[in-house]
Amino acid sequence: MTSESVQPVSGPSRRTVVAAVGAAGLTVALTACGSDDEASGSSTEQGGGATNEGGGSSAGAGGAALAKTTDIPEGSGKIFEKEKVVVSQPTAGEFKAFSTVCTHRNCPMVDLKDDIISCTCHGSQFSVLDGSVKKDPAVKPLEPKQITVNGDSITLA
Ligand code: FES
């Protein structure tokens, strides 16, 4: 007999095209272009007295001295908030630098006591002499920064 009438309907091209992209998203952003001056001053160069020896950007890529060696106490260090760096002097004449960004959740650290820099966010502590973690929750040591000591001048490399 003929038993070929049973055909499994295998999806007769069920196209459910959801065209949700279209009308939404057409945000006409006509920025008022009525002003006369075409200064378009986006990069305001307010020659503020921040940078001493014109380095351009604040993260002076080699140029402006960060500190004098005499500024860095032996066995401790000094924080440079703007540069987010701490420079330390583990032993006389030996200088190191580390990022002051906490390796736990990236909080900026500004609290230095003796050779320990502390994070006020969750209480991590690090040695500024070698960057090691002294107290968790941070587990990664501080990121070392490159510095150059030239005479009595310390420069971020
Ligand atoms: S971000 Fe510094 S301890 Fe959490």
Side-chain angles (χ1 to χ4, degrees), residues 25-31:
L26 251 180
T27 315
V28 181
L30 274 177
T31 40

mmCIF file of all heavy atoms in Angstrom, residues 25-31:
data_model
loop_
_atom_site.group_PDB
_atom_site.id
_atom_site.type_symbol
_atom_site.label_atom_id
_atom_site.label_comp_id
_atom_site.label_asym_id
_atom_site.label_seq_id
_atom_site.Cartn_x
_atom_site.Cartn_y
_atom_site.Cartn_z
ATOM 1 N N GLY A 25 16.780 54.663 17.609
ATOM 2 C CA GLY A 25 18.209 54.836 17.374
ATOM 3 C C GLY A 25 18.485 55.970 16.421
ATOM 4 O O GLY A 25 19.622 56.298 16.157
ATOM 5 N N LEU A 26 17.450 56.492 15.902
ATOM 6 C CA LEU A 26 17.657 57.640 15.038
ATOM 7 C C LEU A 26 17.524 58.905 15.871
ATOM 8 O O LEU A 26 16.556 59.620 15.791
ATOM 9 C CB LEU A 26 16.627 57.653 13.922
ATOM 10 C CG LEU A 26 17.163 57.328 12.537
ATOM 11 C CD1 LEU A 26 16.042 57.378 11.509
ATOM 12 C CD2 LEU A 26 18.277 58.266 12.143
ATOM 13 N N THR A 27 18.458 59.083 16.645
ATOM 14 C CA THR A 27 18.412 60.263 17.489
ATOM 15 C C THR A 27 19.092 61.398 16.755
ATOM 16 O O THR A 27 20.287 61.388 16.545
ATOM 17 C CB THR A 27 19.137 60.015 18.812
ATOM 18 O OG1 THR A 27 18.750 58.745 19.307
ATOM 19 C CG2 THR A 27 18.789 61.092 19.822
ATOM 20 N N VAL A 28 18.280 62.270 16.340
ATOM 21 C CA VAL A 28 18.836 63.394 15.605
ATOM 22 C C VAL A 28 19.579 64.306 16.574
ATOM 23 O O VAL A 28 18.983 64.968 17.400
ATOM 24 C CB VAL A 28 17.730 64.177 14.879
ATOM 25 C CG1 VAL A 28 18.331 65.326 14.094
ATOM 26 C CG2 VAL A 28 16.958 63.251 13.974
ATOM 27 N N ALA A 29 20.853 64.249 16.441
ATOM 28 C CA ALA A 29 21.665 65.041 17.356
ATOM 29 C C ALA A 29 22.249 66.232 16.622
ATOM 30 O O ALA A 29 23.383 66.237 16.185
ATOM 31 C CB ALA A 29 22.783 64.181 17.929
ATOM 32 N N LEU A 30 21.415 67.158 16.459
ATOM 33 C CA LEU A 30 21.885 68.366 15.797
ATOM 34 C C LEU A 30 22.481 69.310 16.834
ATOM 35 O O LEU A 30 21.783 69.999 17.538
ATOM 36 C CB LEU A 30 20.736 69.061 15.084
ATOM 37 C CG LEU A 30 20.428 68.586 13.675
ATOM 38 C CD1 LEU A 30 19.224 69.319 13.123
ATOM 39 C CD2 LEU A 30 21.610 68.771 12.755
ATOM 40 N N THR A 31 23.734 69.268 16.909
ATOM 41 C CA THR A 31 24.367 70.159 17.869
ATOM 42 C C THR A 31 24.309 71.574 17.331
ATOM 43 O O THR A 31 24.618 71.818 16.183
ATOM 44 C CB THR A 31 25.837 69.764 18.095
ATOM 45 O OG1 THR A 31 26.395 69.407 16.851
ATOM 46 C CG2 THR A 31 25.949 68.611 19.060
#
